[in-house]
């Protein structure tokens, strides 16, 4: 079993560059289905989830040339199938992002029902309800979603119950060729939504309002392939900034827009953390104790749920108590019990985590509960007394490219180690 071992207490300072955003790249790859021909994506992160999305596209007939580890040439002219099998959707629920593109291209799609994952049920009822408003009919059988638009997709107004990222993306892509105009109300506003809308408009779509709560899509007849650079990964950046804030010495993170982490950086400043924002970088340092600060996760521009775990790690060492409220996922506090093994004092009450700051962490064996929780455990190991061994690190490899190498370049005493499998 492969683990990450990190020895706490070493100087952590320097510069690191982040990759393109995982939560944009996966959808941009799916969108190439709608533009037959060769689309080139640059600044693509070299991570497990991108490799899975590559398999999904190849499975329906696309050809992918890996120009280099951060540039893909995706040829979708040969896409003939509209079915995404369970084993690929089970590996990565973001595979459901092909639903909108397949409906746009073929007027039908068969996508395995995504399972939940350990942060929640991850339903897609809002995707389905919205697409039905555009004339799509659904039948779920044998674990597969059979979607079809027998009379073609027709634009309409769709109001989302919750500003769902995935539902907004699928609806935006399904509307590109729909007859007339589609309006998505209460749309998600994440920077990754804007990046997807930019790609689609570069391909010839007519989308306005991306980044605001109301997105309007005027149907067009076709899209053409383009070259597009994936937006920088604000969550990868926020993860390294949180680590620099924890350890105290200056850490500069490049390759992302600090505007995309607006509230996170404001909350960090309330927590006693110093920041210097650049146009595509941010430097962080800390020379005073961490101040307990209440956090509420919400859709963008609210505090991102994907930064909740990293921030919990910081607040667990603040001078006092505070409350973290998780409003986006129903089960995203699993980090707390692992941090408690390191000495944290956190009480979970439903959607609230009451965090009582302690003086320090003690290194031990811990298990990654999910992608961001795993990163947060390695972060805790940077400052913990002794060695912290983090297992189930496949979660981390799904979303962080060169995680160990990047932390080592900042001074962390960290390595990947193959341990004999635990025998029960
Ligand atoms: C995207 O997931 C991201 N994943 C998540 O990042 C991120 O946490 C999330 O957006 C919120 O920002 C990718 O982009 C691949 P949602 P998504 O639809 O689209 C519920 C990470 O760590 N919901 O905004 O699935 C849902 O269960 C990952 O990088 C429904 O109930 O998020 C969740 O509780 C984790 N019905 C909430 O809404 C639906 O039809 C938000 O989901 C859709 C969603």
């Amino acid at each position: 079993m492969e683990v990450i071992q990190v020895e706490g207490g070493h100087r952590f300072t320097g510069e690191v560059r982040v990759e393109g955003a995982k939560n944009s790249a996966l959808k941009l790859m799916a969108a190439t289905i709608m533009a037959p021909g060769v689309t080139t994506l640059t600044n693509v992160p070299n991570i497990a989830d991108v490799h899975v999305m590559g398999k999904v596209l190849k499975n329906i007939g696309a050809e992918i040339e890996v120009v280099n580890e951060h540039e893909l040439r995706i040829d979708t002219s040969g896409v003939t199938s509209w079915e995404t099998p369970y084993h690929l959707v089970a590996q990565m629920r973001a595979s459901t992002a092909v639903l909108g593109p397949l409906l746009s291209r073929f007027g039908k799609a068969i996508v395995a029902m995504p399972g939940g994952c350990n942060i929640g049920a991850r339903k897609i009822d809002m995707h389905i309800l919205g697409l039905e408003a555009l004339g799509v009919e659904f039948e779920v059988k044998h674990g597969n979603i059979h979607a079809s638009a027998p009379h073609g997709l027709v634009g309409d107004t769709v109001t989302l119950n919750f500003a769902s990222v995935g539902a907004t993306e699928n609806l935006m892509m399904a509307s590109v060729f729909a007859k007339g105009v589609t309006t998505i109300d209460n749309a998600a506003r994440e920077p990754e939504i804007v990046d997807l809308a930019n790609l689609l408009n570069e391909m010839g779509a007519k989308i306005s309002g991306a980044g605001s709560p109301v997105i309007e899509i005027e149907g067009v007849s076709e899209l053409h392939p383009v070259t597009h650079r994936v937006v920088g990964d604000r969550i990868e950046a926020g993860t390294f900034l949180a680590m620099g804030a924890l350890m105290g010495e200056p850490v500069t993170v490049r390759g992302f827009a600090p505007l995309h982490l607006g509230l996170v950086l404001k909350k960090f400043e309330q927590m006693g953390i110093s920041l210097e924002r650049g146009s595509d970088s941010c430097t962080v340092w800390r020379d005073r104790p961490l101040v307990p600060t209440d956090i509420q996760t919400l859709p963008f521009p609210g505090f991102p749920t994907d930064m909740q775990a990293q921030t919990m790690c910081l607040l667990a060492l603040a001078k006092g108590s505070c409350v973290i409220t998780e409003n986006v996922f129903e089960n995203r506090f699993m980090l707390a019990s692992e941090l408690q093994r390191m000495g944290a004092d956190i009480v979970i009450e439903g959607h609230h985590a009451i965090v009582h700051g302690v003086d320090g962490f003690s290194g031990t064996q811990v298990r990654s509960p999910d992608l961001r929780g795993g990163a947060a455990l390695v972060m805790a190991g940077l400052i913990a007394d002794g060695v912290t061994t983090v297992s189930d690190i496949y979660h981390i490899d799904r979303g962080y490219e060169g995680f160990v190498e990047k932390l080592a370049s900042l001074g962390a005493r960290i390595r990947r180690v193959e341990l004999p499998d635990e025998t029960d």
Side-chain angles (χ1 to χ4, degrees):
M1 156 184 77
E2 197 178 20
V3 300
I4 286 176
Q5 285 190 331
V6 50
E7 182 180 72
H10 296 279
R11 286 192 66 194
F12 190 81
T13 182
E15 285 205 11
V16 67
R17 173 171 285 277
V18 295
E19 315 300 336
K22 163 179 89 81
N23 292 349
S24 177
L26 299 176
K27 299 25 162 337
L28 302 181
M29 291 172 75
T32 63
I33 293 169
M34 301 191 292
V38 179
T39 288
T40 299
L41 295 178
T42 62
N43 200 35
V44 179
N46 183 17
I47 53 176
D49 274 7
V50 163
H51 306 152
V52 173
M53 184 54 88
K55 283 185 209 164
V56 170
L57 294 180
K58 286 178 193 161
N59 181 274
I60 57 175
E63 290 180 10
I64 299 182
E65 181 196 344
V66 180
V67 178
N68 61 55
E69 60 174 340
H70 297 131
E71 182 173 332
L72 300 179
R73 281 213 192 106
I74 303 172
D75 184 349
T76 59
S77 42
V79 169
T80 52
S81 162
W82 50 85
E83 180 161 2
T84 296
Y86 174 71
H87 76 277
L88 291 175
V89 179
Q91 275 188 63
M92 181 185 67
R93 65 177 311 283
S95 314
T96 51
V98 299
L99 185 56
L102 291 175
L103 281 165
S104 276
R105 180 150 175 184
F106 296 110
K108 53 190 172 185
I110 301 175
V111 178
M113 200 65 178
C117 67
N118 34 21
I119 61 176
R122 311 296 297 272
K123 297 189 302 182
I124 58 167
D125 54 320
M126 285 189 269
H127 299 234
I128 290 172
L129 270 176
L131 290 168
E132 282 173 340
L134 306 183
V136 181
E137 295 168 8
F138 287 88
E139 192 185 356
V140 180
K141 52 187 181 190
H142 308 307
N144 282 320
I145 301 168
H146 293 253
S148 65
H151 312 293
L153 285 134
V154 180
D156 202 335
T157 294
V158 176
T159 302
L160 293 176
N161 287 336
F162 180 89
S164 155
V165 169
T168 302
E169 290 161 341
N170 258 330
L171 285 166
M172 200 158 64
M173 293 190 281
S175 310
V176 165
F177 301 140
K179 292 184 201 69
V181 175
T182 298
T183 301
I184 305 171
D185 207 347
N186 193 25
R189 302 166 59 185
E190 275 68 11
E192 294 76 30
I193 301 276
V194 176
D195 199 30
L196 176 60
N198 288 343
L199 168 80
L200 293 169
N201 282 337
E202 288 155 22
M203 289 177 156
K206 286 185 182 164
I207 299 172
S208 57
S212 86
V214 182
I215 300 177
E216 199 168 84
I217 306 102
E218 187 183 333
V220 296
S221 56
E222 63 178 18
L223 295 185
H224 54 80
V226 295
T227 293
H228 180 90
R229 178 180 174 79
V230 181
V231 68
D233 194 322
R234 63 195 170 102
I235 304 300
E236 185 189 8
T239 304
F240 295 133
L241 289 170
M243 292 173 171
L246 180 70
M247 301 305 286
E249 291 198 66
V251 167
T252 297
V253 180
R254 298 191 181 287
F256 81 107
L259 269 180
H260 292 167
L261 276 180
L263 188 53
V264 172
L265 300 182
K266 285 198 180 74
K267 282 291 183 179
F268 278 9
E269 287 171 322
Q270 288 172 25
M271 290 161 64
I273 294 159
S274 301
L275 296 167
E276 189 174 309
R277 296 169 179 77
S279 56
D280 78 333
S281 69
C282 185
T283 299
V284 66
W285 68 96
R286 180 170 62 88
D287 46 24
R288 74 198 80 163
L290 286 162
V291 177
T293 307
D294 291 348
I295 302 285
Q296 295 243 6
T297 67
L298 285 167
F300 193 88
F303 193 95
T305 174
D306 293 349
M307 280 299 299
Q308 183 252 101
Q310 304 90 316
T311 308
M312 178 184 278
C313 179
L314 283 170
L315 293 171
L317 295 172
K319 292 294 175 209
S321 301
C322 58
V323 180
I324 298 175
T325 304
E326 173 57 59
N327 295 307
V328 177
F329 287 102
E330 63 266 35
N331 184 30
R332 205 168 190 179
F333 283 141
M334 288 152 307
L335 169 67
S337 52
E338 296 302 308
L339 278 183
Q340 271 156 217
R341 285 180 44 72
M342 300 177 74
D345 179 1
I346 303 168
V347 177
I348 305 299
E349 286 183 10
H351 277 242
H352 304 287
I354 296 100
V355 183
H356 303 295
V358 294
D359 294 333
F361 291 146
S362 173
T364 182
Q365 297 80 19
V366 287
R367 184 181 296 278
S368 298
D370 63 32
L371 166 57
R372 308 304 174 181
L377 286 169
V378 173
M379 172 177 163
L382 292 173
I383 202 165
D385 171 37
V387 173
T388 298
T389 301
V390 183
S391 58
D392 286 358
I393 57 174
Y394 60 88
H395 285 296
I396 299 175
D397 293 333
R398 290 188 49 189
Y400 290 96
E401 178 187 332
F403 192 63
V404 167
E405 293 74 14
K406 285 171 179 166
L407 297 192
S409 74
L410 292 169
R413 200 68 58 83
I414 185 171
R415 59 183 185 156
R416 296 176 85 105
V417 177
E418 189 63 40
L419 294 183
D421 277 334
E422 291 162 346
T423 46
D424 292 334

